[in-house]
Amino acid sequence: MRDFVDIEGAAGASYRFMRLREGRPLSPMGGNYLYARFTGEVFELIFAGEAQNLLTSARDRWGEAERRFQVTEIFTRLNISERVRQLELTEIVEANHPPMNTKPDRPAV
């Protein structure tokens, strides 16, 4: 299993995320994070988020992601600038459409 992944954003920039190794705590710094799973060697991005404090916020939706999508990994990218984190998150979501970040279609009226 890879210790890092490079995720492309909508404008073509690449963002490197490091896998959280078992037994290691999340950083209390701000950053972006991903919930993912691997099918063989294929990386599947399930959710992308950003947090002021990864330690307290990066696992907020982990239980839901485990139940619904069988996620197995958290990847993080440290970044103290909230504005930059939010821009990166928007880029990643727009380019990759993680299922937990997309809104369900509204039923026809």
Side-chain angles (χ1 to χ4, degrees):
M1 188 167 313
R2 295 179 273 169
D3 286 335
F4 66 89
V5 293
D6 293 318
I7 302 296
E8 192 164 318
S14 184
Y15 304 100
R16 179 159 286 185
F17 285 78
M18 302 304 293
R19 181 170 59 92
L20 180 66
R21 292 182 178 221
E22 192 170 326
R24 291 204 177 163
L26 284 159
S27 172
M29 288 183 57
N32 294 79
Y33 60 96
L34 310 173
Y35 297 165
R37 66 182 177 202
F38 283 90
T39 303
E41 288 294 314
V42 177
F43 172 85
E44 295 179 77
L45 175 58
I46 303 301
F47 179 72
E50 69 89 16
Q52 185 70 28
N53 181 327
L54 290 167
L55 178 64
T56 61
S57 301
R59 292 191 190 269
D60 286 353
R61 296 188 66 193
W62 181 255
E64 174 191 358
E66 276 186 312
R67 283 189 307 280
R68 291 181 57 206
F69 296 98
Q70 297 75 49
V71 295
T72 57
E73 305 295 331
I74 293 179
F75 287 82
T76 62
R77 175 180 167 82
L78 299 179
N79 191 330
I80 61 171
S81 169
E82 182 176 10
R83 182 174 179 274
V84 172
R85 286 194 315 265
Q86 290 172 348
L87 290 171
E88 288 181 1
L89 176 61
T90 299
E91 285 277 307
I92 290 166
V93 170
E94 286 178 3
N96 297 280
H97 309 287
M100 285 182 61
N101 289 90
T102 57
K103 294 183 169 105
D105 293 333
R106 286 194 215 164
V109 181

